[in-house]
Amino acid sequence: MIPARNEARNLEVVLPKLPAVHQVLLVDGHSVDGTIETARRILPEIDVVQQTRKGKGNALACGFAAATGDIIVMFDADGSADADEIPAFVRTLVEGADVAKGSRYTRGGGSEDITRFRSLGNLFLNTATNLLLGSRYTDLCYGYNAFWRRLVPGLHLPDHTVKASDAMIWGDGFEIETVLNCRFFLGGHRIVEVPSVEKSRIFGESNLNAIRDGLRVLRTILAERAHARSTARRAVIEETPAGARIDHRAARKAA
């Protein structure tokens, strides 16, 4: 599943690298550069949906609703995600995980793109989440993840069918990745971190604003912590000999 807004030039490079899969789904954010036309020219069988509001969170919610495969792989259109890593994410799920969580900070991971400032911000937000929720994530905000589609109803994301062309509601922005990862953990799902190397964006500039979106993520963490007080299940994360971190389902009451 590929959310995209004005990514025609990047899709020229990205789409031919994808492996053969059940469905490639493009969620378009009302592009004006021929993103949809480019995608259909390169990959005629691609499925396309238009997001209903603004923001990556709304794009993902629209895509989750339109997905038809058993597994959803969240894949960025800008070239930062390595298509060669998709089999590792899928294999992790088939071997028993509920969620395959990409990480740039576990053994074998890395980034060609992240700045020192953003890396420090990620460390702060990651540490805050682990302290407040009891998780042991290494890369909370990274968006290259995969999970079983059956988990979607339990995520309780904002209603993607509500249209508001000039407005965003909570969960529509970049905070969506934090929302997902918090709810995967608090839902008691088995999460395995998969080493991932983030590539540099090929063309264009990111819509991410480190300060603005960092504050949205922090607000999300606090909101999810408040929600955790009434959550009936927790996940316990253990370190495997190979260095990956795994969340095992547990039936403990929330503190």
Side-chain angles (χ1 to χ4, degrees), residues 86-146:
I86 291 176
F89 283 89
V90 174
R91 182 170 59 251
T92 298
L93 296 175
V94 172
E95 290 176 351
D98 296 316
V99 179
K101 174 75 186 78
S103 175
R104 298 163 292 184
Y105 297 105
T106 194
R107 188 188 312 169
S111 177
E112 300 174 357
D113 181 65
I114 195 167
T115 64
R116 180 173 178 80
F117 177 72
R118 284 177 51 212
S119 186
L120 289 173
N122 282 346
L123 176 61
F124 168 76
L125 294 169
N126 196 86
T127 302
T129 300
N130 290 340
L131 288 174
L132 290 171
L133 299 186
S135 57
R136 289 176 61 193
Y137 281 120
T138 65
D139 200 358
L140 176 77
C141 298
Y142 191 43
Y144 195 0
N145 307 309

Side-chain angles (χ1 to χ4, degrees), residues 14 46 61 77 125 127 162 239:
V14 168
I46 196 169
L125 294 169
T127 302
V162 177
E239 177 129 5

Side-chain angles (χ1 to χ4, degrees), residues 56-58 60 157-158 171-181:
K56 186 174 184 178
N58 175 251
L60 291 179
L157 299 178
D172 280 355
F174 281 105
E175 71 275 6
I176 185 60
E177 285 149 6
T178 303
V179 170
L180 292 174
N181 292 323

